[in-house]
Amino acid sequence: SQVHFHHLWSMSPDGSRQSVLFGNQHTSVPQACLLIDAKPIPGSDEIITVFSPGHGRREHAGHLARISLQAGPDQKEALEFIWKGEDNEYIYDPFPLSSELFLTTTGKALALIDAQGHKQDFYSLSAAEQKEGYQIFEPRPVIGRPQEPVIASALHPQREEGFMLVQDVYQGRNMDDPVRGKIKKLLILETLPKPINYTGGNEPLTYTGSFTLERIVGTVPVESDGSAYFSLPPNKSFLFVALDAKNRAVQRMKSFTSVMPGETITCIGCHEHRTLAPANTNPYPIAGQKPPAQPQAIAGIPEVIDFPRDIQPILDEHCVRCHNPANRSGGILLTGHRGPVYSHSYFNLLARFQVNDGRNQYEPLNEPGRVGDTSSPLMQKIDDHHGQVELSGREIQLLRFWINTGATYPGTYGALGSGMIGRMIRNEPDMTPVDNPVWEKAQKVIETQCSSCHAELMPHIIEEKNLIWWKSRAEMMNGNIDEKAYFEKVRFSRHIVYDLTEPAQSTLLLAPLARDTGGYGLCTDQQQPVLSSTSDPDYQILLQAIQHSKAFLDSIKRFDMPGFVVRPEYYREMIRFGILAPDMPREQVDPYFADRKYWHAVTQPWSRK
């Protein structure tokens, strides 16, 4: 899920012992809030924190809440709201003076809030100061307080690795008996840092899914008792997928972890209760009696999978003969032809739920096999030899690992913010591609000839209110719209009705075009095709608009198009990080190479400074 989990975490001052502190298993209350600015309440085992709505308001504005740490991170009742503003009235930066009184600010005034939720302003900026733009943040009392305890570090800054011991992968919620003995290895993934970001969305990285790429580090063995012991490079973020003997996902970690240089961390199992202690049934894990395993690379599988480069050739070989504009079996296109943001094949596989990587699922814990290739209809079709196809072992494994690493579209962050018709700028679409006479004419044709029957078809290539990339799927999952209504939206989405590789093969043109002139003949007016032939003036207007959009895409270029050039911001940051030489022309930058160098760059030595 985009915003519903991963709340307060804690760690020691040296960066070790990273752990969730509260709320990792629950959606927020209120839903989709960010917990932030937590501070310990003096003389108690409680903390004060801000609930900031949405992804988090500017300057961490939000409501004031108290959390008890006695019951572990998963107890909802541990949270108590002290003060909730009305009509977007928020507080900032609370500082606990005691368990009964909290210093805070409203941005324009200093305020005190007591444990019963009474708020009183005691200092306000003058009208003149507010007019000048002054604001008040981060209030601190000028008083004496005990020095914080010094936590000694046991790390070894010179070490280039840390270690992890999993005592028993079968210990945990939704684990044990149903899958005991099935898990043979752990797939180690690194969730990769971004050198730059452009919007609050994730396009074109995925359709409604991950906001980051995941690199395949390798696999480590799981012993017969469920234990695993292995080394990891420090200062990086990792997650694990439990695999069976055929590399099928049994369970997936939805969070991440990290090790510091020389640190050894342990966990009881997969998704165990955080208040549990290790069981005495396995005091000497088999893996812990051996040297730590080194993750083994997976032969024939790229570190980061790129859909056009690695997955589309499989579809071209086995699927496109039935799922193309001329055949279109089941109404599904699996060609690599480009839509406004994604290829037709990528959009169809994702929007029609053929891969299941857990995107926007509100359940923090999965039953085994619930997320990943095991529960993906695409893999079931392959196992059932759908269409009498036979994939090679490598092709099957490549599809499995693509799904289990987030089913992303590009394999490089260099693709971000580029190659999109109607790309988002500060979460608003860029209307430039349709702000011209060509598309003005096409909009009139769509409104006149199409909209009376097809309310889900939007008036131009940028508009997608009928299928907002994350909202429609979430609505269906929550039961707000039924499956039939959802797929009707998918059928008329801008991502699939426009073909910017072969404009004449666009569904927008073929559906109303007479059969005897190469169309589908699906749209009729008094039993006559809406478009009688390719020489029909309305056909030509629509074709010219789509050709205009193709020309626009050809000029800005997508990451998988010849002559693609990374954006100046990406180029600037890679120079700043020392990845690219300052004198390298931007036109010569290979984003795949630059990303790989960036991800594998030597981590800065650990320091207490």
Side-chain angles (χ1 to χ4, degrees):
S1 176
Q2 296 164 252
V3 296
H4 292 87
F5 305 102
H6 298 159
H7 297 313
L8 288 173
W9 285 38
S10 64
M11 64 180 176
S12 295
D14 62 3
S16 65
R17 299 196 296 180
Q18 298 174 30
S19 179
V20 62
L21 189 68
F22 179 79
N24 210 36
Q25 305 296 347
H26 304 298
T27 57
S28 301
V29 184
Q31 195 177 55
C33 281
L34 179 70
L35 275 70
I36 203 163
D37 285 339
K39 297 179 181 67
I41 297 175
S44 74
D45 60 1
E46 297 178 325
I47 58 174
I48 202 77
T49 187
V50 170
F51 263 67
S52 191
H55 293 271
R57 300 292 172 127
R58 288 185 177 180
E59 303 295 343
H60 305 170
H63 313 291
L64 184 63
R66 178 203 305 259
I67 299 174
S68 170
L69 302 180
Q70 286 185 330
D74 303 334
Q75 191 69 29
K76 287 183 179 180
E77 291 73 21
L79 182 141
E80 171 196 3
F81 278 100
I82 295 177
W83 182 87
K84 293 180 69 173
E86 298 180 357
D87 298 326
N88 293 327
E89 181 186 6
Y90 298 124
I91 57 94
Y92 305 83
D93 311 323
F95 189 97
L97 300 173
S98 69
S99 61
E100 299 294 321
L101 196 61
F102 311 102
L103 174 64
T104 186
T105 172
T106 63
K108 299 177 181 179
L110 288 171
L112 290 171
I113 300 177
D114 66 19
Q116 288 71 46
H118 302 121
K119 184 172 77 73
Q120 179 177 336
D121 295 350
F122 65 90
Y123 171 80
S124 297
L125 292 172
S126 67
E129 288 172 326
Q130 293 182 41
K131 187 176 181 180
E132 288 292 320
Y134 287 102
Q135 293 177 292
I136 303 176
F137 295 119
E138 299 287 351
R140 291 291 184 274
V142 185
I143 57 175
R145 59 183 175 85
Q147 182 177 339
E148 295 175 353
V150 175
I151 301 176
S153 176
L155 301 183
H156 303 280
Q158 71 279 6
R159 297 291 294 269
E160 296 182 357
E161 59 185 356
F163 308 94
M164 178 151 193
L165 173 65
V166 183
Q167 298 180 4
D168 183 359
V169 295
Y170 303 108
Q171 294 292 328
R173 290 164 280 200
N174 300 327
M175 294 296 287
D176 201 16
D177 291 340
V179 294
R180 184 164 285 279
K182 292 184 179 180
I183 299 173
K184 303 302 180 183
K185 63 188 80 169
L186 292 181
L187 172 65
I188 301 174
L189 304 176
E190 179 186 358
T191 181
L192 293 166
K194 288 181 180 178
I196 194 166
N197 213 43
Y198 300 96
T199 76
N202 57 3
E203 63 281 334
L205 197 61
T206 67
Y207 179 77
T208 78
S210 173
F211 282 70
T212 58
L213 293 170
E214 293 173 1
R215 180 177 76 89
I216 298 173
V217 179
T219 61
V220 295
V222 172
E223 303 292 344
S224 58
D225 63 349
S227 63
Y229 180 43
F230 49 93
S231 63
L232 294 171
N235 297 307
K236 297 178 180 290
S237 300
F238 299 101
L239 61 147
F240 314 123
V241 182
L243 303 178
D244 66 10
K246 294 183 178 180
N247 288 329
R248 296 176 298 194
V250 178
Q251 188 59 285
R252 178 183 172 88
M253 184 175 176
K254 284 189 169 182
S255 184
F256 58 88
T257 190
S258 181
V259 292
M260 297 298 287
E263 180 184 19
T264 297
I265 61 175
T266 64
C267 66
I268 298 172
C270 289
H271 299 174
E272 78 274 7
H273 288 275
R274 291 303 182 105
T275 54
L276 290 181
N280 290 327
T281 54
N282 189 24
Y284 303 107
I286 294 175
Q289 302 176 45
K290 301 177 180 180
Q294 301 289 326
Q296 297 300 304
I298 302 169
I301 303 297
E303 280 189 318
V304 180
I305 298 175
D306 182 273
F307 184 89
R309 181 192 66 199
D310 303 316
I311 304 301
Q312 187 61 47
I314 301 175
L315 304 179
D316 291 342
E317 176 70 23
H318 301 285
C319 309
V320 166
R321 63 175 178 265
C322 293
H323 298 287
N324 60 72
N327 192 339
R328 206 180 178 98
S329 176
I332 307 300
L333 291 174
L334 291 178
T335 60
H337 290 192
R338 298 181 181 92
V341 179
Y342 311 99
S343 68
H344 289 168
S345 55
Y346 183 83
F347 174 77
N348 264 322
L349 290 176
L350 276 293
R352 292 180 178 272
F353 312 143
Q354 292 303 295
V355 301
N356 178 17
D357 64 338
R359 61 193 57 215
N360 271 352
Q361 293 181 5
Y362 297 159
E363 302 88 348
L365 297 173
N366 303 310
E367 295 179 359
R370 173 72 183 277
V371 170
D373 65 293
T374 310
S375 58
S376 292
L378 174 63
M379 300 310 300
Q380 187 62 52
K381 287 179 171 65
I382 291 171
D383 291 342
D384 294 342
H385 306 288
H386 173 79
Q388 289 78 51
V389 300
E390 291 284 346
L391 272 66
S392 69
R394 179 185 179 275
E395 289 172 329
I396 293 174
Q397 293 304 318
L398 195 51
L399 286 167
R400 291 195 191 284
F401 284 108
W402 171 64
I403 295 171
N404 291 333
T405 55
T408 52
Y409 183 42
T412 171
Y413 287 138
L416 295 178
S418 64
M420 296 179 282
I421 302 293
R423 67 185 178 89
M424 303 296 282
I425 302 175
R426 295 183 179 176
N427 294 338
E428 293 294 332
D430 176 12
M431 305 300 290
T432 304
V434 295
D435 188 15
N436 54 73
V438 176
W439 263 105
E440 287 178 8
K441 294 179 181 179
Q443 288 182 59
K444 292 179 181 178
V445 172
I446 292 172
E447 291 169 359
T448 302
Q449 298 281 37
C450 310
S451 60
S452 60
C453 295
H454 303 305
E456 299 297 347
L457 182 63
M458 294 293 103
H460 53 65
I461 197 171
I462 291 177
E463 185 64 77
E464 58 178 328
K465 290 180 180 177
N466 64 329
L467 192 70
I468 297 175
W469 62 272
W470 57 270
K471 189 175 182 180
S472 294
R473 181 177 179 124
E475 285 178 342
M476 193 189 75
M477 294 177 63
N478 291 333
N480 296 330
I481 61 173
D482 61 24
E483 186 174 289
K484 182 179 179 180
Y486 170 80
F487 284 117
E488 190 71 3
K489 291 174 179 286
V490 170
R491 194 158 68 99
F492 291 100
S493 168
R494 74 185 183 110
H495 296 296
I496 203 66
V497 299
Y498 296 102
D499 190 324
L500 302 185
T501 301
E502 298 289 344
Q505 295 184 13
S506 297
T507 306
L508 183 72
L509 295 174
L510 294 177
L513 183 63
R515 285 179 179 271
D516 57 6
T517 57
Y520 299 154
L522 297 175
C523 301
T524 59
D525 182 8
Q526 297 181 350
Q527 298 184 339
Q528 295 298 316
V530 170
L531 300 177
S532 59
S533 71
T534 56
S535 59
D536 188 303
D538 285 347
Y539 177 95
Q540 288 297 320
I541 288 173
L542 294 176
L543 177 61
Q544 289 171 17
I546 301 171
Q547 289 173 334
H548 184 277
S549 294
K550 178 186 185 302
F552 183 85
L553 178 60
D554 289 344
S555 68
I556 63 173
K557 297 192 183 301
R558 192 167 294 173
F559 67 96
D560 62 336
M561 297 172 68
F564 171 74
V565 178
V566 297
R567 285 185 58 164
E569 299 88 346
Y570 175 92
Y571 176 69
R572 176 198 70 209
E573 292 303 291
M574 285 304 197
I575 291 176
R576 188 170 70 87
F577 292 135
I579 303 302
L580 298 177
D583 58 351
M584 172 179 279
R586 181 160 61 95
E587 294 73 18
Q588 295 181 13
V589 174
D590 178 350
Y592 295 90
F593 175 81
D595 271 9
R596 193 160 55 248
K597 188 176 179 183
Y598 172 66
W599 297 329
H600 289 287
V602 176
T603 305
Q604 291 296 317
W606 167 85
S607 172
R608 288 298 297 272
K609 294 182 180 179

